Amino acid sequence: MQGVASPTSAGVAFLARPGRPAVVTPTLAELTGPTRGIVELPVRLMWNSHRTFDLGDPDDLLWMYENVLRETTHADDLRNLVNGHLLRQVWPMLNLPRGVRAAWEHRHRALRDDLALRTA
């Protein structure tokens, strides 16, 4: 499956958590998840009983994206649940493990560039 891990130049994977590589899609354009409405995450991505998110609520959107980006082991989860345009908008506000953020910014320069522009 494509988009399993983003290796560094030394060939070491960025980790979402110890022993688990961060999953990153090859392009942001393939992230065609919903932009509005209610989304329920599968148990494999969210063990909490509160697995339903209203994408119209900015806090819900951030919480959902943080969980999906951190917990997924499948690029298809990213394609189906995350929207590339929304991801670019909320990227600076996401609270992500260092390895997840590094993997995405390594693979998608636009995320790193957007962040630099917003913090400059």
Side-chain angles (χ1 to χ4, degrees):
M1 178 175 290
Q2 289 186 6
V4 173
S6 290
T8 65
S9 57
V12 177
F14 296 104
L15 299 178
R17 65 176 66 201
R20 184 191 299 172
V23 179
V24 179
T25 56
T27 68
L28 294 176
E30 68 191 276
L31 300 174
T32 58
T35 59
R36 59 186 159 178
I38 305 295
V39 176
E40 184 172 350
L41 293 182
V43 173
R44 73 178 181 283
L45 296 178
M46 185 71 171
W47 305 285
N48 191 323
S49 60
H50 176 74
R51 296 191 328 264
T52 303
F53 300 87
D54 178 355
L55 299 184
D57 179 333
D59 291 333
D60 269 13
L61 175 66
L62 292 175
W63 193 23
M64 186 186 106
Y65 275 27
E66 289 163 357
N67 279 282
V68 172
L69 293 171
R70 183 182 61 244
E71 299 300 333
T72 191
T73 58
H74 307 284
D76 283 340
D77 287 335
L78 297 167
R79 292 181 188 106
N80 295 326
L81 295 168
V82 176
N83 179 277
H85 179 71
L86 278 179
L87 180 62
R88 285 186 70 173
Q89 288 180 339
V90 302
W91 186 253
M93 296 171 277
L94 292 173
N95 182 14
L96 297 168
R98 186 173 298 151
V100 173
R101 184 170 294 280
W104 280 86
E105 290 179 357
H106 180 79
R107 178 71 180 178
H108 302 291
R109 184 178 189 101
L111 295 174
R112 186 176 57 231
D113 292 347
D114 288 349
L115 184 60
L117 286 174
R118 290 179 190 207
T119 58

